[in-house]
Amino acid sequence: MIHIRNAFTDDIPIIRDIAYKTWPIAFRDILKPEQIDYMLEMMYSPSSLTEQIDIKGHRFLLSFFYDLESNNKESGHRECRYIGYASYELNIAGSDKTKIHKIYVLPKYQGSGCGKALIKEIEKIALFNNSPILSLNVNRNNRAITFYKNFGFKIVNEENIDIGNGFLMEDYVMEKVL
Ligand SMILES: CC(C)(COP(=O)(O)OP(=O)(O)OC[C@H]1O[C@@H](n2cnc3c(N)ncnc32)[C@H](O)[C@@H]1OP(=O)(O)O)[C@@H](O)C(=O)NCCC(=O)NCCS
């Protein structure tokens, strides 16, 4: 069973670990390795993640399950296996939009319902906070576009974002009104 909890700056090593295991595989057919390295440093260095959480108001979620094989019958201790994360920002620029900044699941656990559980959790929180327009950017060649379409997201725009060092993010903007 997949569980979800809020994540904070103490969890940065867990988020980084999942990102560094997921990005090179997710983007290997889409981006050059140098761009993957550059973007990981830009978005996932400890200082960048700290700024996102503490200053920019991005909220992070971690998904995990309890590894039953690690269950210690005497102490009751069970290991937690972290398999995915998402980040989102409510009411961007005072609007009723929720921006989903990140959603990543470890390759081994893709297709396990983890991404769906993370999206459903964000939808619940967005509705509760009167921020019912979900918005996200996705690379125009990313297979995740189909995943988002399954949830009712629609392409509303195209953006080429200059991220420096000669690199571009060639994205679709997708939105869903809850
Ligand atoms: C995209 C991603 C977050 C989806 O999470 P996931 O745990 O693999 O997806 P789920 O198992 O929750 O799938 C939910 C539904 O979407 C479908 N789905 C999942 N990935 C899909 C894909 N690439 N194309 C089409 N449908 C997809 C599943 O079949 C499932 O449908 P169902 O509910 O009818 O059974 C995950 O695959 C991932 O991390 N991918 C690589 C990184 C990435 O591209 N992230 C997005 C960056 S914008």
Side-chain angles (χ1 to χ4, degrees), residues 95-149:
S95 73
D96 52 4
K97 254 186 204 181
T98 298
K99 176 95 181 183
I100 300 177
H101 288 290
K102 309 183 198 301
I103 176 163
Y104 291 90
V105 176
L106 282 174
K108 191 175 160 188
Y109 295 100
Q110 287 170 14
S112 67
C114 179
K116 185 179 190 168
L118 287 165
I119 293 266
K120 291 285 162 208
E121 183 68 14
I122 294 172
E123 288 189 358
K124 210 168 66 186
I125 298 165
L127 275 177
F128 185 76
N129 286 279
N130 296 318
S131 191
I133 303 173
L134 301 186
S135 177
L136 57 85
N137 277 45
V138 56
N139 183 286
R140 295 200 280 274
N141 293 309
N142 192 334
R143 288 194 302 260
I145 292 167
T146 321
F147 167 79
Y148 296 129
K149 281 185 176 166

